[in-house]
Amino acid sequence: MRASLRIALLASALASGACLEPRERPASTSPSCEGCHGTRESAAPPPGLWLSGGKTGGEERGVGAHHVHLAGDGKLALAIPCGSCHLVPQGVDDPGHLDSALPAEVVFSGLATTGGFKASFDGTSCSVYCHASSLPGGSVAKPSWTKVDGTQAACGACHGLPPGGSHPKTGTCSLCHTETVDASGAIKNRALHINGKVEVKGGGAGCSSCHGGPENAAPPVDTTGKSSGSERGVGAHQAHVRASARHAALACSECHVMPASIDAAGHMDSPLPAELSFGALAKTGSRQPSWSTASLRCSSTYCHALDGGGNPEPVWNAGEKMVCGSCHGLPPAKGRSGAAHPPSSLAGCASCHPAVVNAAGAIIAPARHVDGKVDFN
């Protein structure tokens, strides 16, 4: 806008008293935002800019959803600062204020661009972090600026219930977001919602709220709702954590860091799939076990890769059945002292390990098998 036109607009504003005498409040001796748009409660329209007739209808672009965003009267979030969508001038005649033609320029920053999101406005709809443009599973990806009927702020409009991707398949938000939402699903602390962060604070919910079931917290079901053993998130979990005829139940900590709470470091702040961290049993005998993401196999674990075993690196999600001889030879290559193991048949195991196996070769004390020790009599 040329300087002469800007001066003319300022002169008109001063002559009318509009910029010096804000609507719905006593005359002021200094210009204020409310003098040209908004009310004494908020500078956000309605009403719209006085130069445009002071329109109040939400269907007007100059009004739209301004009040919903800036008045902070919604149930979902605190008031959003003007600077998230506009350049806020320090003075009436600052560059970028009255020197631009209507409608006002939209310049996104702050919350709207959380995570480096490239927010945009096409004159009708917004594409911003705050709505489904960057959040998974929402039903309204680009909300209409002039459709102010509440439907675009309904639960599920901005993100799925539950969100998509790797989010646990539970719709009970209060399990992990206790300080943000209550058991009914209502937002109870607006400062912790639509604030650019995922506020994870659990209320004592058990591990099986997000994975596992009534028997234990290990999949199936995994955090994405899958239950097939061929899925990486399911695999052989139950074969390990459930007691069997060959071994006692293994603790989850033998393969994962067990969090003290939902929001503990290394738990929900890490992307799926879950991190592996081998425990003491897998490292028995100074072994250095490892996991291959490419082959889905564990290597060098005490539990499988013993001397002479026929399947020292079983595939995690292949459903392979472990039998006598899978983990160690029959007989093993080495004995307890490291010397060659005496030659024997399966039936001969009971001669030296009668507390663990019977004369038929069957395990009679699962808790004393695959326990990191050699029970030798």
Side-chain angles (χ1 to χ4, degrees):
M1 185 180 291
R2 291 179 298 181
S4 59
L5 180 55
R6 182 175 69 181
I7 293 172
L9 282 173
L10 285 170
S12 175
L14 291 171
S16 67
C19 280
L20 296 179
E21 298 179 11
R23 290 184 295 268
E24 298 184 15
R25 74 178 193 177
S28 172
T29 58
S30 62
S32 62
C33 300
E34 297 90 340
C36 292
H37 43 69
T39 67
R40 64 183 299 174
E41 287 78 21
S42 169
L49 190 66
W50 66 273
L51 288 173
S52 300
K55 297 175 181 179
T56 59
E59 71 281 358
E60 299 288 343
R61 174 171 169 174
V63 179
H66 270 111
H67 194 72
V68 173
H69 288 76
L70 276 77
D73 59 350
K75 297 180 180 180
L76 301 179
L78 296 178
I80 296 173
C82 302
S84 291
C85 303
H86 300 289
L87 293 175
V88 179
Q90 297 300 308
V92 173
D93 59 345
D94 275 6
H97 186 211
L98 287 173
D99 59 356
S100 299
L102 293 177
E105 296 177 359
V106 177
V107 181
F108 290 110
S109 64
L111 184 65
T113 59
T114 295
F117 184 76
K118 297 185 181 301
S120 63
F121 178 64
D122 61 11
T124 302
S125 300
C126 295
S127 178
V128 290
Y129 155 81
C130 325
H131 291 276
S133 301
S134 71
L135 301 175
S139 61
V140 184
K142 296 182 66 177
S144 170
W145 173 248
T146 55
K147 184 180 179 181
V148 192
D149 60 1
T151 59
Q152 298 181 106
C155 283
C158 300
H159 58 73
L161 291 174
S166 60
H167 191 283
K169 300 303 178 184
T170 174
T172 308
C173 305
S174 58
L175 291 176
C176 300
H177 310 287
T178 306
E179 295 183 1
T180 307
V181 62
D182 64 23
S184 71
I187 301 300
K188 66 180 185 180
N189 188 339
R190 295 183 298 160
L192 300 180
H193 192 227
I194 316 181
N195 64 350
K197 298 181 292 183
V198 178
E199 304 281 357
V200 179
K201 287 287 185 181
C207 301
S208 57
S209 297
C210 294
H211 45 71
E215 184 180 1
N216 56 58
V221 175
D222 70 6
T223 56
T224 62
K226 296 173 182 176
S227 58
S228 172
S230 62
E231 298 289 344
R232 173 175 170 174
V234 180
H237 270 110
Q238 287 298 318
H240 288 75
V241 303
R242 189 168 51 194
S244 74
R246 291 193 177 90
H247 62 79
L250 302 181
C252 299
S253 57
E254 290 297 343
C255 299
H256 301 288
V257 173
M258 294 295 293
S261 62
I262 287 176
D263 56 326
H267 187 211
M268 295 189 71
D269 58 356
S270 299
L272 289 178
E275 298 176 0
L276 268 72
S277 179
F278 290 104
L281 182 63
K283 297 177 181 178
T284 297
S286 300
R287 287 173 172 80
Q288 297 182 343
S290 62
W291 160 262
S292 169
T293 300
S295 66
L296 301 185
R297 295 174 183 266
C298 293
S299 300
S300 302
T301 64
Y302 157 80
C303 321
H304 290 285
L306 295 172
D307 297 325
N311 191 4
E313 297 182 355
V315 178
W316 169 251
N317 60 343
E320 296 173 299
K321 185 177 181 180
M322 296 294 104
V323 298
C324 285
S326 294
C327 302
H328 57 73
L330 291 174
K334 296 180 181 180
R336 183 176 63 173
S337 65
H341 190 283
S344 65
S345 64
L346 178 61
C349 296
S351 300
C352 297
H353 311 286
V356 180
V357 62
N358 64 18
I363 302 298
I364 57 174
R368 302 182 71 167
H369 190 227
V370 196
D371 65 344
K373 297 179 291 184
V374 177
D375 286 286
F376 177 81
N377 185 357

